Structure formats: structure tokens, C-alpha cells
């Protein structure tokens, strides 16, 4: 859980960071449809749940790129985490509430999947905003709204516009032109992420979905 400090004076992003944090404080979201046709077939054939797979893919991409791990620490220092763990929501149908659960990340999908299933078994039925204690500081939020195929999604966070970490929201997948498409929304802070970075997130998410054989069932 190492937090690497950023020297702003030598940081190539300094003028953009200062502008979008101090002059024109700006966050934005982008939504795109990801083709999960091949992925869904593989999951159904191997009896693997979709939600943890989506969480894993998002975590894998975030841990590839520094801009998605950049934030302020408790002392207000700017830096980036060595790696991030997902904090995801679980819906309770009986009372229409949700619970936040975090799971330790792993580049090995099978290990991550086992960690996810274990956490769901232990904490999935806890009726509370946060179920699992001792949440590490290096977490990012990811959730799913499986009841609607949205074309756009935006969260309004009132924290003086200094929340820099990405927020990922999946929607309900749907069929179009013989393909199964999944709407995905990525919300970021412009101080650390530009359109290039958000586009790269979606492009890499598509590649992971299309090439799932390389990581889903690998030894």
C-alpha cells in the first residue's frame, strides 16, 4: 500500500493539474458500450459470474496507469498508490439498499475470483453501508446498475472538487446487431485525466473482454 509522492515542480502534468484544479475545477464522465459477446459465452460455459469479472478488468486497467491511482493523501500530499483495490456495491433486494465491500486485488484472475467469492459469502448479507472493516486507503469505487442500459451516467460529488480517483459504473447489457453490448461509465477528474486517458481505459477494457482466453482460464 505504498503511496508515491509527486514532485509537482518537475511533474510534466503540473500546468494542466493546476488549471483544472485551481482555475477551472473540472470533473467529467464518459460512457461507452463494450462488446462482451465472446466474454459472456466463456463465462456461461465455465459457470463464472459476470460482476466479479467486470470488477477484475477495471482493477487491472487502473493498476496499469498512474493517472487512475493519483490522489491526495490524508495530509493533503499529492501522489499515487502503487496499486488499487476495488470497493464494490452489493444490492439487497429485500430492502432495496446496498452494501460496500472491498476485495484485495490480484493480477491472477482465479485468485481474485476466490477472494471475491469469499468476501461475498462473509459480508454479502450484511445490511450496512460498509460491511467489511479495515478498508485500505488505496481503494476505488466500482458498481453496477443492472436494471437499465444507460447512455450516460454522472455522479455529483461535493468534496470541493478535490476527489481525483476514478469511479466506474456498469449498466445492463443488451443485444444490438448480433452483439452483446455493455454500457460502462468512467468518471474522472480533469486535473489528472484527459480524454486520451479515458479513451485508453475503454479501449483496453474492450481488448480484455475480447481476449479473455488469455487471462480468464489461464494457469
Amino acid at each position: 500500500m505504498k503511496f508515491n509522492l509527486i514532485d509537482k515542480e518537475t511533474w510534466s502534468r503540473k500546468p494542466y493539474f493546476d488549471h483544472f484544479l485551481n482555475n477551472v475545477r473540472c470533473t467529467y464522465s464518459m460512457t461507452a458500450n463494450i462488446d462482451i459477446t465472446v466474454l459472456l459465452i466463456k463465462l456461461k460455459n465455465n459457470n463464472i459470474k459476470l460482476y466479479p469479472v467486470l470488477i477484475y478488468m477495471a482493477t487491472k486497467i487502473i493498476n496499469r496507469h498512474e493517472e487512475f491511482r493519483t490522489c491526495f493523501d490524508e495530509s493533503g500530499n499529492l501522489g499515487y498508490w502503487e496499486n488499487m483495490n476495488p470497493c464494490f456495491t452489493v444490492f439487497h433486494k429485500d430492502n432495496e439498499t446496498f452494501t460496500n465491500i472491498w476485495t484485495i486485488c490480484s493480477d491472477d484472475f482465479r485468485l481474485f475470483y476466490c477472494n471475491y467469492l469469499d468476501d461475498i459469502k462473509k459480508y454479502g448479507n450484511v445490511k450496512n453501508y460498509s460491511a467489511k472493516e479495515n478498508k485500505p486507503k488505496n481503494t476505488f469505487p466500482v458498481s453496477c446498475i443492472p436494471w437499465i442500459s444507460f447512455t450516460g451516467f454522472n455522479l455529483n460529488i461535493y468534496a470541493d472538487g478535490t476527489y481525483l480517483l476514478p469511479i466506474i459504473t456498469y449498466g445492463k447489457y443488451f443485444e444490438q446487431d448480433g452483439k452483446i453490448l455493455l454500457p460502462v461509465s468512467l468518471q474522472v477528474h480533469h486535473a489528472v485525466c484527459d480524454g486520451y486517458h479515458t479513451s485508453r481505459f475503454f479501449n483496453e477494457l474492450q481488448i480484455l473482454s475480447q481476449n479473455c482466453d488469455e487471462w480468464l482460464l489461464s494457469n
Side-chain angles (χ1 to χ4, degrees):
M1 198 174 72
K2 182 181 178 182
F3 187 75
N4 300 286
L5 296 178
I6 292 175
D7 181 0
K8 278 187 59 181
E9 298 310 310
T10 60
W11 192 30
S12 61
R13 190 164 180 84
K14 181 182 186 301
Y16 311 95
F17 180 85
D18 287 341
H19 178 74
F20 289 116
L21 187 73
N22 300 320
N23 299 333
V24 183
R25 193 161 292 184
C26 176
T27 65
Y28 69 95
S29 64
M30 183 184 296
T31 300
N33 292 325
I34 302 300
D35 183 350
I36 60 168
T37 309
V38 173
L39 178 64
L40 271 186
I41 293 173
K42 296 293 182 180
L43 297 185
K44 291 178 180 178
N45 288 343
N46 292 279
N47 196 30
I48 298 175
K49 298 177 183 295
L50 175 62
Y51 190 31
V53 169
L54 299 178
I55 296 172
Y56 169 83
M57 292 196 301
T59 306
K60 190 173 181 69
I61 297 171
I62 282 176
N63 283 330
R64 285 177 180 169
H65 303 293
E66 183 181 309
E67 65 270 10
F68 295 129
R69 294 177 276 118
T70 301
C71 62
F72 294 106
D73 67 7
E74 292 180 325
S75 300
N77 299 308
L78 181 67
Y80 61 93
W81 293 107
E82 197 70 25
N83 58 63
M84 301 287 290
N85 299 299
C87 183
F88 53 91
T89 57
V90 175
F91 182 68
H92 303 301
K93 187 175 181 179
D94 56 348
N95 66 355
E96 299 180 352
T97 62
F98 68 90
T99 294
N100 282 302
I101 302 174
W102 61 272
T103 291
I104 291 292
C105 72
S106 174
D107 198 53
D108 184 324
F109 170 72
R110 293 183 301 173
L111 179 56
F112 175 82
Y113 192 67
C114 288
N115 291 339
Y116 169 90
L117 294 178
D118 187 55
D119 284 331
I120 289 294
K121 182 178 180 180
K122 291 179 179 177
Y123 308 105
N125 292 321
V126 176
K127 302 293 196 305
N128 201 351
Y129 178 77
S130 295
K132 186 179 178 181
E133 297 180 350
N134 302 315
K135 185 177 79 170
K137 297 179 179 65
N138 59 329
T139 61
F140 72 94
V142 54
S143 61
C144 185
I145 305 177
W147 309 280
I148 188 71
S149 299
F150 54 72
T151 56
F153 185 84
N154 186 70
L155 290 166
N156 301 303
I157 301 176
Y158 298 98
D160 296 328
T162 58
Y163 184 85
L164 303 181
L165 293 175
I167 303 173
I168 297 162
T169 309
Y170 292 102
K172 179 182 179 180
Y173 63 77
F174 61 96
E175 184 175 356
Q176 180 176 293
D177 298 328
K179 298 179 180 180
I180 304 299
L181 302 179
L182 175 76
V184 185
S185 175
L186 173 66
Q187 183 154 325
V188 295
H189 202 298
H190 210 343
V192 293
C193 287
D194 301 325
Y196 171 82
H197 306 105
T198 53
S199 299
R200 181 166 62 187
F201 174 87
F202 289 112
N203 290 334
E204 292 189 2
L205 193 65
Q206 182 63 73
I207 292 172
L208 280 176
S209 176
Q210 204 69 27
N211 300 333
C212 55
D213 275 342
E214 296 179 1
W215 52 268
L216 188 64
L217 303 171
S218 61
N219 295 323

